[in-house]
Amino acid sequence: MVVATPNPIRSEKIRNIELPIIDLSAERREVSGLIVRACQEFGFFKVINHGVSQDVIARMESQSFEFFAKPVPEKQLAGPANPHGYGSKNIGFNGDVGEVEYLLLSTNSASISQMSNAISPHDPTLFRKFNCACGGHLSLSSCIDPKLLVLDSSAARCYVEAVRGLACEILELMAEGLWVSDISVFSRLIRAADSDSLLRLNHYPPLTEDSDTSPSSFRRIGFGEHTDPQILTLLRSNGVGGLQISLEDGVWIPVAPDSSAFCVNVGDVLQAMTNGRFVSVRHRALANSYKPRMSMAYFGAPSPHARVCSPPELVTPQRPRLYRTFTWAEYKKAAYSLRLGDGRLNIFRSRTVDEE
């Protein structure tokens, strides 16, 4: 979620591998099996025919660019990111930096309205410019009451409701593919009214005329190497590449942007809940030197006091519990106390496993 301190790009290997692309309109059992396989092998995959309206996506992207095009003093009205708000380069509390400016929003509707007013006191229509009866992916999930969306005029709210519905459906497909009896075991955590989910808008500006133009500057770290601490991330970008994942040390796989797809990745909490079956993979973003890149990331997270533990079907004598039970508040505290390039899940490993 937050950038780690960028290290100089050393001798690294680039490997061109296509991430799995999963068509959500295919037969459900097939889809759930493909998702499980992708989460085990890559921790990342793309989904198409996801049901989120292109209009909702385009309006959210347009208004996000509109925000980042504002003069810096106006963007700063959103306040320092503590944790929500506007930030630039200096990110988090432990010296982590990157070539990025960002806006971090709670997905709580009241919080979005408050932030909208803070961002644009003289233009209260920013992030609130169109009537939303979008529906998104709601037909596939019971996460959202569609009647609420008809009354909602916020682009940010519409986008959040749509991607939350998509995230719930993907999580339920995962539970089915893992043969967990309670298929809502993952999705209900982000469905909760006090879910700590986030929407993060990242803008990576291109080089300016007075920027460093040495060869090393053309491979700038936008987001440093990290894993996402939450359950699941849904990512969209504006068609400019930069995302890379690492399945082994020193080897990076570029992820091509796809205007028809969402990129989905496993977070630390989901790795713990699946007892290590799914992998939360390190990734980073390089800033493009010539074109602005913007990404919109929805981070599905539990409520602070939600207990994180594996369902019984995923704990067996052959595969004992890898992680002790913890709350999201405990995990979040650990995440904020470390550099985001540091490992966090090892702190929560089961003592039984460690003693074996």
Side-chain angles (χ1 to χ4, degrees):
M1 181 187 74
V2 184
V3 57
T5 302
N7 294 317
I9 297 179
R10 302 177 299 276
S11 175
E12 296 174 341
K13 296 180 180 178
I14 299 297
R15 180 174 297 166
N16 291 313
I17 299 175
E18 290 293 326
L19 289 184
I21 300 175
I22 299 174
D23 184 346
L24 293 184
S25 68
E27 193 273 327
R28 190 173 180 90
R29 179 174 294 184
E30 176 189 356
V31 170
S32 64
L34 290 172
I35 288 176
V36 167
R37 189 182 309 162
C39 290
Q40 292 174 330
E41 295 180 5
F42 295 93
F44 275 77
F45 57 95
K46 295 179 181 180
V47 292
I48 58 173
N49 291 322
H50 43 70
V52 178
S53 164
Q54 186 59 40
D55 184 53
V56 168
I57 296 169
R59 289 176 185 270
M60 187 68 224
E61 184 176 284
S62 174
Q63 292 190 22
S64 299
F65 268 120
E66 183 177 340
F67 169 74
F68 288 117
K70 287 175 172 287
V72 171
E74 290 188 34
K75 289 183 285 192
Q76 290 175 335
L77 292 173
N82 189 25
H84 308 132
Y86 172 76
S88 179
K89 293 194 176 182
N90 295 313
I91 301 172
F93 306 103
N94 299 303
D96 297 319
V97 296
E99 293 295 325
V100 62
E101 60 175 343
Y102 64 94
L103 183 65
L104 188 62
L105 303 171
S106 166
T107 58
N108 177 279
S109 59
S111 177
I112 290 175
S113 294
Q114 182 180 13
M115 184 64 70
S116 175
N117 290 330
I119 291 169
S120 301
H122 305 299
D123 179 14
T125 62
L126 184 63
F127 288 124
R128 294 188 286 129
K129 285 190 174 178
F130 72 105
N131 293 324
C132 176
C134 52
H137 202 70
L138 302 178
S139 62
L140 299 180
S141 176
S142 58
C143 292
I144 311 299
D145 181 353
K147 292 181 291 186
L148 298 178
L149 296 185
V150 178
L151 304 175
D152 196 330
S153 60
S154 163
R157 286 176 182 168
C158 285
Y159 185 80
V160 165
E161 299 293 355
V163 295
R164 181 189 290 139
L166 174 58
C168 285
E169 177 64 12
I170 291 171
L171 288 169
E172 289 171 7
L173 285 162
M174 289 174 175
E176 290 179 23
L178 290 168
W179 297 95
V180 175
S181 58
D182 179 4
I183 67 167
S184 65
V185 65
F186 307 134
S187 64
R188 66 168 168 261
L189 294 176
I190 65 173
R191 184 184 295 126
D194 58 346
S195 161
D196 195 34
S197 299
L198 300 170
L199 177 64
R200 184 181 182 111
L201 310 173
N202 293 311
H203 179 239
Y204 304 89
L207 289 173
T208 59
E209 291 183 1
D210 57 351
S211 298
D212 175 19
T213 56
S214 63
S216 62
S217 72
F218 290 91
R219 297 185 69 192
R220 301 174 300 147
I221 296 291
F223 259 51
E225 181 179 345
H226 65 286
T227 62
D228 293 342
Q230 293 89 354
I231 301 174
L232 193 75
T233 303
L234 268 62
L235 180 73
R236 288 281 307 196
S237 69
N238 66 320
V240 177
L243 176 63
Q244 298 180 336
I245 71 172
S246 179
L247 300 177
E248 56 182 296
D249 288 344
V251 179
W252 290 94
I253 300 169
V255 178
D258 185 338
S259 61
S260 65
F262 275 90
C263 189
V264 183
N265 67 274
V266 173
D268 295 348
V269 166
L270 190 56
Q271 177 172 322
M273 291 193 74
T274 60
N275 202 29
R277 286 277 299 273
F278 292 176
V279 289
S280 179
V281 170
R282 290 181 174 271
H283 52 284
R284 69 183 184 187
L286 300 185
N288 190 287
S289 298
Y290 301 105
K291 299 178 182 179
R293 180 177 185 265
M294 197 188 68
S295 63
M296 305 185 298
Y298 169 80
F299 299 99
S303 60
H305 301 295
R307 289 164 56 84
V308 174
C309 63
S310 301
E313 294 91 339
L314 301 182
V315 181
T316 66
Q318 295 74 32
R319 193 179 186 89
R321 192 177 301 278
L322 296 179
Y323 305 99
R324 64 177 175 83
T325 299
F326 55 88
T327 66
W328 170 240
E330 289 177 306
Y331 198 77
K332 189 175 177 180
K333 181 179 179 181
Y336 276 113
S337 70
L338 300 171
R339 303 294 284 267
L340 267 292
D342 296 338
R344 294 160 294 216
L345 269 177
N346 285 338
I347 299 174
F348 296 88
R349 284 185 65 84
S350 168
R351 292 180 180 177
T352 303
V353 173
D354 290 339
E355 290 169 358
E356 290 180 351

